[in-house]
Amino acid sequence: MRRLCIILGDQLNLDSAIFNDFDRQQDLLWMAEVHVESTHVWSHKQRIALFLSAMRHFAAEVTLRAYPLHYLKLEQHHFPSLAQALGDCLQAMKPKEVRMVHPGDYRVWADITATCKSYGIELNLLHDNHFLSTPVDFQAWASERKQLRMEFWYRELRKKHHILMVDDKKPCGSQWNYDHDNRKSFPKSGPSALPPLLTLQNDQITEEVIHLVQNRFPSHSGSMSDFNWAVTPSQAQQVLAHFLKHALPQFGTYQDAMWQDQPFLNHSLLASSLNLKLLSPLDVIKQAEACYLQNLAPLAAVEGFIRQILGWREYVRGLYWLRMPQWTQWNALDAQHDLPAFYWTGDTDMNCLRQSIGQTLQHGYAHHIQRLMVTGLFAQLYGVQPMQVHAWYLAVYVDAVDWVTLPNTLGMSQYADGGLMASKPYIASGKYIQKMSNYCQHCRFNPEKATGADACPFTTLFWNFLDRHEMQFATHPRMGFMVSNLRRLSTEQLMAIRLQAEGLTF
Ligand SMILES: Cc1cc2nc3c(=O)[nH]c(=O)nc-3n(C[C@H](O)[C@H](O)[C@H](O)COP(=O)(O)OP(=O)(O)OC[C@H]3O[C@@H](n4cnc5c(N)ncnc54)[C@H](O)[C@@H]3O)c2cc1C
Ligand code: SF4
């Protein structure tokens, strides 16, 4: 054999570089389902099912295209890890070379590199052509800057790929960013005319996988009853078309809003399809851009959506590879609490958390503001160890893959990197959640109150966070006003907040 070509569970693009120069006579594709990928973090049942079903559909497709493929199904072998499964195969097949598109997970990259080395076989890593930039591009950009803000990286990529541009320099609408138009909360009456939910049909492969997961991983978190995730490129295109038609025009305006018992609102539900590479980000961006050019959606909505994919998504990937493996060691706020047990059950009186965690367990999904300003905010204010927070996000979301989960969690959400990613910690009191949702109306706590029996734990912990980190942020240009507000509290108020915060144990 000339080459063994590994395809990982999140590399399911049929135009992957792994097919370049592939010789059906001398080369072999290799895919493996392994137990540890579902247990190294305690994965949600829907996340496991999504990966397995999408992998099996991909395997069926490449086989149809007459590619030779060696596929190890979970129930057909006993190798506990990818490295052991690969090692066994290398020993038996003795390829001259192993090829693989660069993995999205440092741990997997390290394991496969070490395995090939131990068998004395060369590992050839290919660029991932799914993305619109490379880690090397990002490194070059980063090396010329003191601060690595997403906005400027995003503008580079807008120019480079000519997205929403009038000419080489001028953005459509003469403005790069419509963020200020995109922060509205719903009126008191709530969201009107929400997009209908698209229901996908599970075929036999998906049904078998659902059955397998229920039998093999019964103690894992999450419900399986509402599995409705795209597992093939054509299903992913269906989800995209549905989003562009029904949700994109309102996407920007209510991007940060939340509402009781409404898990999806105007969000696209595309992250899992993008991260498994069932969809090309450039194709998604171009289709969204076409909606603006054809007057089907306003510029603010289209720009807001494109910024998430061309801006944030490419940026977090760049940051991940720029600073791995150091990321995992950082804990700039010295957060030492354990993750509260209710993150795995949703069993808490705090309605915003009950809602956000409840829908996460039900669907493997929460939208960005629920992740950042409810579950992430609480963990940060309470002071949970960042890697425990990361392990939770990596486990419970269907779209979770290390390169994207880790910077979002440790950087944007927990400020564990001390400001590499976010210019300040994303902190707020319960009043922010009150403003952006109607959760507080269904809660026994009062977001205005920091002390007393009905004090909102977010509000108590917000002041307590500032109190604990006062010295760290007193001179911070964007945190100074919060510290000044803290200093306006009387000694009695401060003592009462400290006492209340000490009483909060989860
Ligand atoms: C603590 C935390 C953890 C997160 N973990 C993940 C994760 O594991 N996987 C993941 O894909 N996203 C993650 N995100 C980013 C974001 O929350 C999700 O991409 C989004 O909620 C997915 O839902 P959607 O597809 O409906 O997105 P939409 O709201 O419709 O956004 C459109 C697309 O933009 C991209 N996007 C938006 N925000 C980001 C971002 N901050 N980083 C990267 N891409 C972005 C996604 O591909 C998404 O599908 C995380 C955010 C936070 C704060
Ligand atoms: S009152 Fe506090 S705990 Fe209750 S929903 Fe509002 S922010 Fe959440």
Side-chain angles (χ1 to χ4, degrees):
M1 184 192 298
R2 184 179 68 156
R3 279 184 200 140
L4 187 80
C5 298
I6 303 175
I7 298 180
L8 300 171
D10 63 341
Q11 298 182 334
L12 308 180
N13 42 337
L14 290 160
D15 59 355
S16 161
I18 203 76
F19 298 108
N20 298 349
D21 186 29
F22 186 93
D23 180 345
R24 287 178 168 80
Q25 308 306 317
Q26 308 182 70
D27 302 338
L28 178 70
L29 297 177
W30 186 86
M31 297 176 76
E33 300 170 357
V34 283
H35 193 79
V36 78
E37 293 307 311
S38 306
T39 54
H40 82 98
V41 290
W42 207 243
S43 285
H44 191 296
K45 291 193 188 86
Q46 291 199 27
R47 179 170 183 258
I48 306 174
L50 170 64
F51 272 79
L52 295 184
S53 177
M55 285 172 76
R56 290 183 183 195
H57 280 93
F58 180 86
E61 183 61 38
V62 293
T63 306
L64 207 65
R65 294 177 185 214
Y67 283 101
L69 167 69
H70 184 79
Y71 190 98
L72 285 172
K73 281 188 171 174
L74 199 60
E75 63 274 38
Q76 291 169 342
H77 70 89
H78 297 288
F79 301 113
S81 72
L82 196 67
Q84 278 157 302
L86 178 63
D88 181 74
C89 176
L90 294 181
Q91 194 161 34
M93 297 179 186
K94 300 194 171 39
K96 292 198 181 73
E97 178 196 330
V98 172
R99 264 197 179 191
M100 177 173 62
V101 169
H102 205 297
D105 185 328
Y106 184 91
R107 171 187 59 90
V108 172
W109 168 77
D111 283 356
I112 292 180
T113 304
T115 307
C116 290
K117 198 170 169 197
S118 71
Y119 285 89
I121 299 176
E122 186 195 345
L123 173 65
N124 188 351
L125 286 175
L126 308 175
H127 273 307
D128 193 340
N129 61 10
H130 163 89
F131 292 96
L132 288 104
S133 59
T134 67
V136 177
D137 297 338
F138 189 85
Q139 208 170 12
W141 175 80
S143 67
E144 293 166 2
R145 279 161 184 81
K146 273 199 191 136
Q147 288 196 320
L148 306 180
R149 297 294 163 245
M150 186 283 292
E151 180 64 27
F152 299 104
W153 176 239
Y154 166 60
R155 290 183 194 182
E156 295 285 317
L157 294 183
R158 285 265 298 269
K159 285 187 256 177
K160 182 172 171 195
H161 294 279
H162 203 79
I163 307 290
L164 292 179
M165 297 295 291
V166 178
D167 57 33
D168 285 352
K169 290 193 181 135
K170 199 167 156 221
C172 289
S174 305
Q175 215 175 296
W176 288 102
N177 184 318
Y178 289 81
D179 218 12
H180 61 85
D181 294 346
N182 290 349
R183 291 193 181 141
K184 290 204 172 68
S185 49
F186 292 116
K188 281 207 169 63
S189 54
S192 58
L194 280 178
L197 185 66
L198 174 72
T199 305
L200 299 165
Q201 292 305 316
N202 293 338
D203 64 5
Q204 198 188 335
I205 295 181
T206 302
E207 288 300 342
E208 276 171 19
V209 162
I210 289 175
H211 187 69
L212 174 75
V213 172
Q214 273 164 337
N215 284 330
R216 256 188 109 118
F217 304 97
S219 63
H220 283 235
S221 66
S223 154
M224 198 53 125
S225 56
D226 292 324
F227 185 89
N228 191 34
W229 298 105
V231 292
T232 62
S234 81
Q235 281 192 331
Q237 285 292 341
Q238 255 180 283
V239 178
L240 173 60
H242 184 84
F243 166 72
L244 296 175
K245 182 169 174 199
H246 297 285
L248 177 64
Q250 296 281 307
F251 174 83
T253 319
Y254 300 117
Q255 205 177 322
D256 287 1
M258 302 172 275
W259 202 258
Q260 183 82 5
D261 296 330
Q262 290 295 345
F264 308 121
L265 298 167
N266 280 77
H267 292 274
S268 69
L269 314 182
L270 287 171
S272 60
S273 299
L274 282 163
N275 297 348
L276 267 59
K277 310 205 175 111
L278 306 177
L279 283 178
S280 135
L282 186 60
D283 178 36
V284 174
I285 289 167
K286 288 281 182 195
Q287 291 199 42
E289 185 185 37
C291 291
Y292 162 65
L293 297 173
Q294 293 161 21
N295 267 330
L296 298 172
L299 180 56
V302 173
E303 188 283 314
F305 176 68
I306 289 179
R307 179 157 21 97
Q308 307 309 312
I309 297 178
L310 185 62
W312 282 110
R313 191 166 182 271
E314 296 288 325
Y315 169 78
V316 297
R317 177 167 177 261
L319 277 182
Y320 179 81
W321 288 110
L322 188 71
R323 288 285 186 269
M324 274 306 272
Q326 297 100 307
W327 270 110
T328 57
Q329 310 298 321
W330 288 332
N331 187 356
L333 297 174
D334 191 28
Q336 296 301 344
H337 273 132
D338 286 330
L339 186 79
F342 66 71
Y343 272 73
W344 295 103
T345 61
D347 187 10
T348 165
D349 282 354
M350 292 177 273
N351 182 47
C352 52
L353 281 162
R354 197 167 60 233
Q355 283 277 310
S356 303
I357 296 169
Q359 71 168 68
T360 297
L361 297 174
Q362 186 67 23
H363 304 288
Y365 179 84
H367 61 76
H368 187 66
I369 288 301
Q370 294 175 309
R371 298 186 203 194
L372 185 65
M373 297 307 287
V374 180
T375 46
L377 174 61
F378 187 82
Q380 176 168 216
L381 295 178
Y382 185 51
V384 180
Q385 286 179 34
M387 282 306 279
Q388 288 195 27
V389 185
H390 169 54
W392 183 78
Y393 281 98
L394 194 57
V396 297
Y397 290 110
V398 288
D399 49 53
V401 183
D402 206 52
W403 65 266
V404 57
T405 319
L406 188 140
N408 268 304
T409 306
L410 298 187
M412 187 188 287
S413 161
Q414 301 299 301
Y415 201 74
D417 59 358
L420 175 70
M421 183 168 175
S423 56
K424 69 176 188 60
Y426 277 95
I427 57 160
S429 72
K431 284 199 258 182
Y432 172 85
I433 294 171
Q434 183 185 35
K435 184 173 139 226
M436 296 311 296
S437 74
N438 66 340
Y439 290 154
C440 304
Q441 290 170 27
H442 301 264
C443 187
R444 79 170 179 85
F445 299 113
N446 180 348
E448 311 272 344
K449 292 176 73 173
T451 53
D454 60 348
C456 164
F458 280 82
T459 304
T460 311
L461 291 171
F462 167 75
W463 290 113
N464 187 247
F465 177 97
L466 288 173
D467 185 27
R468 291 195 324 266
H469 299 291
E470 181 183 348
M471 296 319 288
Q472 203 168 345
F473 293 118
T475 55
H476 188 291
R478 297 190 61 205
M479 292 289 287
F481 75 98
M482 286 194 191
V483 175
S484 309
N485 286 341
L486 174 81
R487 287 175 178 167
R488 278 194 206 105
L489 298 179
S490 66
T491 311
E492 291 73 31
Q493 282 172 314
L494 204 54
M495 294 309 286
I497 288 169
R498 283 180 189 160
L499 211 62
Q500 181 98 13
E502 268 169 36
L504 291 175
T505 47
F506 299 98

